[in-house]
DNA sequence: CGACCCTAGACGACCGGTCAACTATTTACT
DNA sequence: AGTAAATAGTTGACCGGTCGTCTAGGGTCG
């Protein structure tokens, strides 16, 4: 069936890494191709447009991150411990990229949500789905916690789960703005308060 | 003294409005000039660069918004009421632009924070100052609340204030992503939980 | 009328995207 | 096994348009 190539995957990988730091509009196709070591002409053999590649890169990013979410949240042990471990992992991710590349790049999904939700409907729609999935995963864990009696039942709702994710995204924004991952050290105690667990 | 002009102010106004929706990189100088009814050639008579104009637009945006913050937070009445009124005002702002222009545009400061903090040091530095100011304003109100006995003293800290603002910015992000200002309806109850006031 | 404010128009660079020619590899058939 | 057609991937030149920026000169004031 003709020859094979890893160029498509290389393009997706390069896009994920570059776009998390640089955003969508300021990142050119030429730069992506350079990092992926793919000639610009090949780009449009694999992708219809920069926008289409972005959706694929978002999917790849979430597929990787979702494995963290599901493994941490569906592990054994108390529900609140599982949630805490997930948030620790998210903080660890930012700490890691700071050590590796010198910058806190934040969350690709959040970055693109603010940059593109009024501009690129295809990306916006996918991001909305992904965040709904995140919220549903957290909400399920909150239900577990309520069953275990570690949080009040009235806190085990989708809106509370959304507040938890919103708080996470907001703090990640501050961490990126200040280029300082230690901002995320206060993530867990305040999440506990949101859940009414400290009462 | 030659002639006078309001072009500079028109440029700043136009930038604030357009950039809140469209972000930095995807917004061209030509588009700003068109909206401000200023010829492109004039642009660089008034501003050194697009980046410099952005800083001015951010300042103008915050000067306007800061008046909301100070008037609501330093009004008379219980501290928690003042904080609730501020958050209501923020939600109202998003509701308003949705009705006016059809889109929830979010917060210019948050949008630019994620888009530019790794790219434009001058903008990043100013945004950091502004968010510090916001956090300080909230923290002062939390101190008042603690003195009034409506929240525990251990909640009246800068980190708690930061969590409140992070939660706000995160929810505004979701409101923008879903183009739905009702997301902000849950802002206050969850903020109360963050403050440990519901206990 | 001189001094200063403002603007028209063009600059080179880069943008996302296109295309036709070409090479390498697989598959189907003998 | 040999081969030729079909397929998949690669390449670099190139498009029209837009980017942020600047300079030379026109317009308007004291």
């Amino acid at each position: 069936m003709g020859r094979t190539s890893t160029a498509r995957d290389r393009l997706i990988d390069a896009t994920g890494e570059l776009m998390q730091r640089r955003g969508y509009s300021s990142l050119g196709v030429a730069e992506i191709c350079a990092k992926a070591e793919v000639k610009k002409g090949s780009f449009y053999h694999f992708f219809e447009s920069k926008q289409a590649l972005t959706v694929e890169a978002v999917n790849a990013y979430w597929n990787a991150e979702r494995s963290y979410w599901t493994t941490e949240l569906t592990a054994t042990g108390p529900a609140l411990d599982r949630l805490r471990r997930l948030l620790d992992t998210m903080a660890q991710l930012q700490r890691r990229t700071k050590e590796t590349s010198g910058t806190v790049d934040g969350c690709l999904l959040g970055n693109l949500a603010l940059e593109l939700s009024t501009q690129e409907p295809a990306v916006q729609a996918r991001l909305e789905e992904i965040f709904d999935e995140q919220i549903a995963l957290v909400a399920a864990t909150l239900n577990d916690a309520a069953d275990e009696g570690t949080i009040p039942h009235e806190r085990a709702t989708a809106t509370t789960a959304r507040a938890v994710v919103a708080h996470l995204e907001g703090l990640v924004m501050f961490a990126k703005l200040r280029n300082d991952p230690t901002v995320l050290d206060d993530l867990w105690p305040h999440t506990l308060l949101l859940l009414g667990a400290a009462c």
Side-chain angles (χ1 to χ4, degrees), chain A:
Chain A
M1 290 289 262
R3 55 203 224 186
T4 60
S5 167
T6 62
R8 188 186 150 89
D9 289 336
R10 295 205 309 273
L11 283 167
I12 292 177
D13 289 350
T15 304
E17 291 173 35
L18 289 172
M19 202 169 276
Q20 187 170 0
R21 184 161 350 182
R22 315 247 283 96
Y24 179 86
S25 300
S26 80
L27 177 62
V29 172
E31 193 175 347
I32 296 171
C33 291
K35 168 134 185 166
E37 293 180 340
V38 170
K39 294 291 146 44
K40 185 139 159 237
S42 294
F43 181 97
Y44 288 91
H45 174 69
F46 293 105
F47 298 99
E48 261 193 5
S49 64
K50 179 186 174 187
Q51 185 218 75
L53 167 63
T54 302
V55 173
E56 291 301 309
V58 164
N59 285 335
Y61 181 92
W62 173 233
N63 281 339
E65 192 170 293
R66 176 169 37 204
S67 74
Y68 287 119
W69 285 59
T70 53
T71 54
E72 299 292 354
L73 291 184
T74 66
T76 57
L80 284 187
D81 282 1
R82 279 137 51 195
L83 184 59
R84 179 177 49 73
R85 264 196 288 271
L86 172 66
L87 296 181
D88 277 353
T89 304
M90 294 297 105
Q92 187 67 33
L93 243 53
Q94 300 298 327
R95 249 177 264 129
R96 200 91 47 126
T97 64
K98 163 84 179 190
E99 281 162 18
T100 305
S101 71
T103 56
V104 174
D105 296 332
C107 168
L108 175 65
L109 309 173
N111 298 351
L112 294 183
L114 284 189
E115 186 178 355
L116 297 183
S117 50
T118 57
Q119 313 230 75
E120 297 282 358
V123 181
Q124 179 275 337
R126 185 67 189 114
L127 290 173
E128 203 172 327
E129 290 173 6
I130 289 173
F131 276 114
D132 284 347
E133 207 178 326
Q134 288 191 359
I135 290 164
L137 283 167
V138 171
T141 307
L142 296 188
N143 276 329
D144 292 349
D147 289 345
E148 294 168 8
T150 47
I151 68 170
H153 270 94
E154 64 265 27
R155 294 273 71 78
T157 64
T159 48
T160 301
R162 183 161 65 192
V164 168
V165 179
H167 173 238
L168 166 63
E169 288 288 334
L171 269 193
V172 168
M173 183 191 95
F174 281 141
K176 176 167 186 167
L177 176 62
R178 310 190 51 164
N179 194 30
D180 177 10
T182 67
V183 169
L184 297 168
D185 291 350
D186 299 305
L187 189 48
W188 180 243
H190 288 117
T191 300
L192 269 182
L193 283 164
L194 273 176
L195 302 179
C199 303

